Amino acid sequence: MKLLRNITLIGLAVSTLWCCKKEGVLSGDTQSDIFDKDVWTDSVRTMQVLTSVYADLGPESYTTRINTSNSLSEFSDESDERWATTTTTPAGTFQKGNYSASSLPAPFNTVWKDSYKSIRKANLFINRVDESPLSAQTRKRMKAEARFLRSWYYHLLMKHYGGIPLVDHVLTIDDDFNLPRNSYEEGVNYIVKEMDEAAADLPMEYTGTEGQNYGRITRGACLALKARVLLFAASPLFNGGAADQNPVFGYPTEDKARWTKAAQAAKAVIDLNFYGLLQGEGGNNTTAEGFYNVFLQRVNKELIFARLSGSNRTYENAHLPSSRGGAYHTSPNGDYVDAYPMRNGMPINTPGSGYDPQNPYVNRDPRFYRSVIYNGALWLNPSTNTKQAVFTYFNAPSDGLSIPFVTPGTQTGYYNRKMMSEDVTGSTGGTQHFFPFLRYAEVLLNYAEALNESGQTTDAYEPMRQIRERAGLSPAALPSGLSQEQMRKFIRDERRIELAFEDHRFWDIRRWKIGASTYGTILRGMKIIKNTNGTYSYEKFDLPKPASVFIEPKMNLLPIPAVQVNISDKLIQNPGW
């Protein structure tokens, strides 16, 4: 393919140059210094340019943000945010469908601009690093890192918009900024080629004197990103689902072979025989200890690429209930909670599962107890420094369910606890946190999905068994003889559980084109009444608010900000926007 060589759009160019002058990324200097020749004569300053591209990384759309109250969970059907019913917030605006190309809520209003700023810096590093006094081996490795990061931002843009302009040239005053969008296929092919080539120049891990580089891009990260991009390319939204048959928005014609390519790419990561699911101590997974520690243990073979952070309690402060010093930001959706099966692996609505509607939190999937704070769940109390029960029953003091919702409390009867340390509160203690951009569990789920969709349903059992075994389910194996449709439901439910609150569900809903049946459903909660004898009665209820607005197929792709489209006669807007 012919790769576009220029940065896109006059407006983007102007904003990029402006940001270069306003935001510092080099120690003691402004970002404009990266254009000075002296930067490339100094090893430290050269490396700082690449470090600044790393620093832009954040949980999906929220660039440079980690362990904060903001995530894409409130923008999907995973949870509702604390303020959605009382104030105008980005999530509330999004849920109501009150946005357009000219009035996008955060974080979607800056994705285009921020991603291209990072791509520009990566391009600059790739084009200039050979001028630096760094060793040839180091330059080669770091150039491969930059190629990964550039592709990462492209994959982020493609998830939002479909095909986008591809840029591999640093902006100069003589360049033509008025460029069209590349086709979706060209974007996929570009990332795949880049990842294949970059992987060859990167180590599997950083050891010895290179241990200080832990967290940098590795060969496995390149192959895992390639696998994810091919999974998206094979998914219904893009695989023959191109709006108006325009190749910018996806492949005009469906090809089942794309699922085979996605499966092969995921298998390539598995065949490295380097990664694995983090297990509990002594291989004991009955309490989902490995699942819990993967987000808190700095070095483990499940994290392929992650955002690292020093000791903090930011996430705990944002999500824990008020009695634990938290800001109770998110209230998990009751339907998400119900997706957790029983410990025996059976969905709760399956006859013979053992689920008791009046004792709903007994014998559930061990990940449930590591992911959800429910009525009676234990958490450290900062006042006593002991673990005590959190009570979420209707009108319970401090943390209880309130209808209509008033602070403090929960809207659904639940609080999020995933990725948090059980030894930290919102006001005391701290620990390192690691937000997984790519982890081995996702690779296994990608592999299972691609196998099943390519007609190899029988082969999908093994990666699913590994996920469920580490979760502590017994038996871990799925029922035999599943049809492709039945296996699809198990895989999608497993992704919803295993990858919850990691900013996957938002994109899964879109690539599967299931928005009407998810956003179109009212969020649910659990109303628990405390009886006079100290027992509890349980009743599921619908939240007293409208279902989120989702008009297919318009909202499967997000609109490019109008300010970008308005300054280019070649940059077409996504359909319906």
Side-chain angles (χ1 to χ4, degrees), residues 27-326:
S27 299
D29 295 308
T30 66
Q31 188 174 323
S32 59
D33 287 338
I34 66 177
F35 294 99
D36 294 342
K37 62 180 181 179
D38 290 344
V39 169
W40 310 103
T41 62
D42 184 288
S43 296
V44 173
R45 297 181 74 193
T46 297
M47 289 189 291
Q48 286 174 336
V49 177
L50 182 60
T51 299
S52 74
V53 188
Y54 273 100
D56 293 341
L57 291 166
E60 294 294 351
S61 304
Y62 287 95
T63 52
T64 71
R65 305 193 71 174
I66 183 65
N67 294 340
T68 71
S69 58
N70 295 315
S71 75
L72 292 181
S73 65
E74 305 94 55
F75 293 85
S76 71
D77 64 344
E78 286 183 323
S79 68
D80 201 16
E81 68 166 347
R82 164 182 168 183
W83 298 278
T85 59
T86 56
T87 60
T88 300
T89 66
T93 298
F94 191 86
Q95 290 171 359
K96 296 178 179 67
N98 296 334
Y99 61 96
S100 67
S102 58
S103 60
L104 282 164
F108 308 113
N109 57 337
T110 61
V111 170
W112 184 278
K113 178 185 68 175
D114 290 344
S115 296
Y116 275 111
K117 282 166 52 182
S118 300
I119 289 167
R120 175 179 171 79
K121 288 189 287 185
N123 282 336
L124 180 67
F125 183 85
I126 292 167
N127 292 351
R128 300 291 301 272
V129 65
D130 285 337
E131 303 172 27
S132 75
L134 293 167
S135 70
Q137 182 178 0
T138 299
R139 294 198 307 268
K140 183 179 181 180
R141 189 203 80 214
M142 295 183 79
K143 190 181 295 186
E145 293 176 57
R147 292 174 75 177
F148 172 94
L149 292 169
R150 180 173 61 186
S151 292
W152 178 267
Y153 291 111
Y154 279 136
H155 121 274
L156 180 63
L157 287 165
M158 288 170 64
K159 288 197 295 185
H160 282 80
Y161 311 115
I164 40 85
L166 296 171
V167 184
D168 74 342
H169 184 74
V170 180
L171 174 71
T172 69
I173 196 66
D174 298 321
D175 284 326
D176 177 12
F177 309 135
N178 190 17
L179 300 173
R181 297 166 65 174
N182 283 70
S183 71
Y184 181 80
E185 180 178 13
E186 287 175 322
V188 171
N189 292 343
Y190 173 74
I191 293 176
V192 167
K193 182 175 183 292
E194 284 288 288
M195 292 305 89
D196 283 341
E197 294 179 358
D201 293 337
L202 289 167
M204 281 302 303
E205 62 180 332
Y206 294 88
T207 59
T209 57
E210 288 190 334
Q212 62 185 337
N213 289 319
Y214 180 76
R216 288 186 176 275
I217 310 303
T218 61
R219 186 181 311 157
C222 291
L223 299 184
L225 176 58
K226 171 185 172 180
R228 181 193 286 180
V229 168
L230 288 174
L231 183 82
F232 271 72
S235 298
L237 177 59
F238 299 109
N239 191 3
D244 303 325
Q245 296 294 295
N246 189 325
V248 167
F249 309 129
Y251 297 95
T253 304
E254 181 183 12
D255 184 354
K256 290 293 186 181
R258 294 190 181 105
W259 286 112
T260 301
K261 290 181 179 179
Q264 291 169 343
K267 185 64 160 53
V269 181
I270 296 169
D271 287 346
L272 291 172
N273 293 317
F274 181 80
Y275 300 106
L277 298 175
L278 186 64
Q279 307 294 318
E281 186 174 357
N284 184 350
N285 291 312
T286 56
T287 64
E289 181 184 21
F291 172 78
Y292 165 72
N293 281 325
V294 72
F295 310 104
L296 301 170
Q297 185 171 308
R298 182 174 180 82
V299 180
N300 68 74
K301 289 297 180 71
E302 185 168 345
L303 288 179
I304 300 175
F305 179 43
R307 174 93 182 206
L308 313 181
S309 67
S311 181
N312 68 86
R313 57 174 179 267
T314 316
Y315 208 61
E316 290 80 5
N317 178 264
H319 291 279
L320 288 178
S322 176
S323 67
R324 275 30 179 197

Side-chain angles (χ1 to χ4, degrees), residues 218-520:
T218 61
R219 186 181 311 157
C222 291
L223 299 184
L225 176 58
K226 171 185 172 180
R228 181 193 286 180
V229 168
L230 288 174
L231 183 82
F232 271 72
S235 298
L237 177 59
F238 299 109
N239 191 3
D244 303 325
Q245 296 294 295
N246 189 325
V248 167
F249 309 129
Y251 297 95
T253 304
E254 181 183 12
D255 184 354
K256 290 293 186 181
R258 294 190 181 105
W259 286 112
T260 301
K261 290 181 179 179
Q264 291 169 343
K267 185 64 160 53
V269 181
I270 296 169
D271 287 346
L272 291 172
N273 293 317
F274 181 80
Y275 300 106
L277 298 175
L278 186 64
Q279 307 294 318
E281 186 174 357
N284 184 350
N285 291 312
T286 56
T287 64
E289 181 184 21
F291 172 78
Y292 165 72
N293 281 325
V294 72
F295 310 104
L296 301 170
Q297 185 171 308
R298 182 174 180 82
V299 180
N300 68 74
K301 289 297 180 71
E302 185 168 345
L303 288 179
I304 300 175
F305 179 43
R307 174 93 182 206
L308 313 181
S309 67
S311 181
N312 68 86
R313 57 174 179 267
T314 316
Y315 208 61
E316 290 80 5
N317 178 264
H319 291 279
L320 288 178
S322 176
S323 67
R324 275 30 179 197
Y328 47 96
H329 180 90
T330 54
S331 296
N333 181 8
D335 285 343
Y336 151 70
V337 173
D338 287 348
Y340 285 89
M342 302 299 289
R343 184 180 291 272
N344 59 20
M346 298 176 69
I348 65 172
N349 58 356
T350 301
S353 69
Y355 177 73
D356 181 357
Q358 291 304 311
N359 206 0
Y361 310 130
V362 175
N363 292 327
R364 297 291 292 274
D365 181 332
R367 288 171 298 185
F368 167 76
Y369 304 104
R370 300 287 192 175
S371 303
V372 180
I373 294 179
Y374 56 93
N375 188 57
L378 298 179
W379 199 275
L380 187 66
N381 189 325
S383 300
T384 63
N385 200 34
T386 60
K387 291 185 177 180
Q388 298 177 341
V390 175
F391 294 108
T392 67
Y393 61 84
F394 183 54
N395 286 336
S398 180
D399 303 328
L401 172 73
S402 60
I403 306 173
F405 176 67
V406 293
T407 60
T410 169
Q411 299 179 74
T412 63
Y414 302 111
Y415 296 93
N416 178 38
R417 74 186 289 166
K418 186 177 178 183
M419 294 188 282
M420 287 180 265
S421 171
E422 296 170 1
D423 297 318
V424 175
T425 75
S427 56
T428 61
T431 191
Q432 296 182 71
H433 292 86
F434 309 103
F435 187 92
F437 295 132
L438 295 164
R439 66 180 176 103
Y440 189 63
E442 181 205 341
V443 173
L444 289 175
L445 288 166
N446 292 351
Y447 185 45
E449 180 180 349
L451 285 171
N452 185 56
E453 298 300 335
S454 64
Q456 303 173 75
T457 298
T458 301
D459 294 334
Y461 275 86
E462 176 55 23
M464 287 289 285
R465 183 199 62 77
Q466 292 181 40
I467 293 287
R468 289 160 64 89
E469 184 175 73
R470 193 277 293 275
L473 299 180
S474 181
L478 290 170
S480 61
L482 294 176
S483 67
Q484 184 185 55
E485 184 176 352
Q486 290 170 327
M487 177 64 81
R488 180 182 298 128
K489 186 177 189 316
F490 271 110
I491 291 171
R492 291 185 177 186
D493 286 347
E494 197 63 50
R495 287 184 70 92
R496 188 177 190 183
I497 296 165
E498 176 71 29
L499 303 178
F501 291 88
E502 297 178 46
D503 288 348
H504 285 276
R505 180 69 176 174
F506 181 92
W507 303 111
D508 283 348
I509 288 172
R510 283 161 174 76
R511 68 182 180 88
W512 293 331
K513 300 174 70 173
I514 61 171
S517 61
T518 53
Y519 286 96

